[in-house]
Amino acid sequence: KAGVTQTPRYLIKTRGQQVTLSCSPISGHRSVSWYQQTPGQGLQFLFEYFSETQRNKGNFPGRFSGRQFSNSRSEMNVSTLELGDSALYLCASSPSSGRQETQYFGPGTRLLVL
Amino acid sequence: GQSLEQPSEVTAVEGAIVQINCTYQTSGFYGLSWYQQHDGGAPTFLSYNGLDGLEETGRFSSFLSRSDSYGYLLLQELQMKDSASYFCAVRGRDDKIIFGKGTRLHILP
């Protein structure tokens, strides 16, 4: 099976712009989670989607949003970008949303905000 | 609040054994997971402990004590390719997944 794919892999934006990142989960996986990874804060949970519904959301401002499509693919959007949004954004999928489910991570999208 | 504490860095010698500790404070607890991340790579799953005790997978073992809110990852017969960052993670009662800030493992030849 193909792994989790994320596009684009690298992105440079300027403050105030918006960005949309895409994630395609492993075939058959219905749960998709998003994380922000920075050197100072580590891996921080953004949100989790299951069957097109947001199951959970981390402590991020409303500028961060996401959605999941019927084919389980997911997108996240960050509006009005700030310098502090520069990070590696990781997507992870799992077969379901069970508490013991292993997360399978994609390679990430590295976002640089200038 | 919810938090996980793990050492920021650990150094060990090739061929030796190293233990990476993780203590957690969460409202509710549904198991402790460990992930490995090489520089420039994605985190990959190593092990999961839902119950107290030791889980062994090849050279890697993981231990959990729920009464002590403590777990560890044990790596045996260290190889240079084990140089990476290791994260512990828990899912709390609110179902949000929390990761520790990671332990950077340095291996000396």
Side-chain angles (χ1 to χ4, degrees):
Chain A
K1 276 185 181 178
V4 178
T5 58
Q6 293 186 245
T7 56
R9 293 292 311 279
Y10 303 92
L11 206 51
I12 300 176
K13 291 285 188 179
T14 56
R15 279 182 300 173
Q17 286 187 309
Q18 73 158 23
V19 66
T20 299
L21 312 181
S22 181
C23 171
S24 292
I26 292 171
S27 177
H29 285 195
R30 296 167 62 194
S31 174
V32 173
S33 299
W34 288 89
Y35 299 87
Q36 181 194 66
Q37 186 174 30
T38 58
Q41 296 299 318
L43 270 160
Q44 292 189 284
F45 172 72
L46 279 158
F47 21 66
E48 179 183 7
Y49 288 88
F50 179 74
S51 293
E52 301 179 67
T53 302
Q54 187 179 88
R55 279 197 75 240
N56 228 323
K57 189 176 184 344
N59 299 323
F60 279 82
R63 301 185 296 108
F64 292 80
S65 63
R67 58 177 175 168
Q68 186 181 33
F69 302 96
S70 59
N71 61 359
S72 294
R73 191 178 68 85
S74 178
E75 288 181 348
M76 68 162 279
N77 184 278
V78 188
S79 62
T80 319
L81 283 166
E82 300 178 359
L83 295 179
D85 297 333
S86 294
L88 179 67
Y89 290 88
L90 290 160
C91 162
S93 75
S94 57
S96 71
S97 63
R99 287 163 174 161
Q100 297 182 20
E101 289 289 348
T102 297
Q103 304 251 295
Y104 296 86
F105 284 84
T109 294
R110 190 165 295 280
L111 171 65
L112 177 62
V113 181
L114 301 176
Chain B
Q2 305 186 98
S3 65
L4 286 88
E5 296 293 330
Q6 52 181 130
S8 58
E9 289 186 86
V10 171
T11 300
V13 178
E14 189 177 15
I17 299 172
V18 71
Q19 178 174 312
I20 298 174
N21 299 322
C22 175
T23 56
Y24 59 87
Q25 185 174 20
T26 61
S27 55
F29 174 78
Y30 295 109
L32 183 69
S33 300
W34 289 93
Y35 289 80
Q36 177 193 60
Q37 185 179 28
H38 286 99
D39 285 347
T44 56
F45 173 78
L46 289 176
S47 71
Y48 171 81
N49 293 75
L51 301 173
D52 287 358
L54 192 68
E55 294 285 338
E56 296 180 81
T57 309
R59 295 188 297 114
F60 294 178
S61 303
S62 58
F63 172 82
L64 175 65
S65 168
R66 287 180 297 173
S67 60
D68 295 323
S69 297
Y70 163 77
Y72 66 71
L73 180 69
L74 191 74
L75 294 81
Q76 303 182 72
E77 300 172 20
L78 283 172
Q79 302 175 10
M80 297 304 293
K81 67 178 181 180
D82 298 328
S83 295
S85 292
Y86 293 84
F87 297 86
C88 55
V90 301
R91 191 187 285 265
R93 180 174 297 171
D94 58 4
D95 267 358
K96 293 180 182 178
I97 300 172
I98 307 163
F99 280 80
K101 294 195 173 180
T103 298
R104 181 83 178 198
L105 174 60
H106 302 279
I107 299 177
L108 304 175

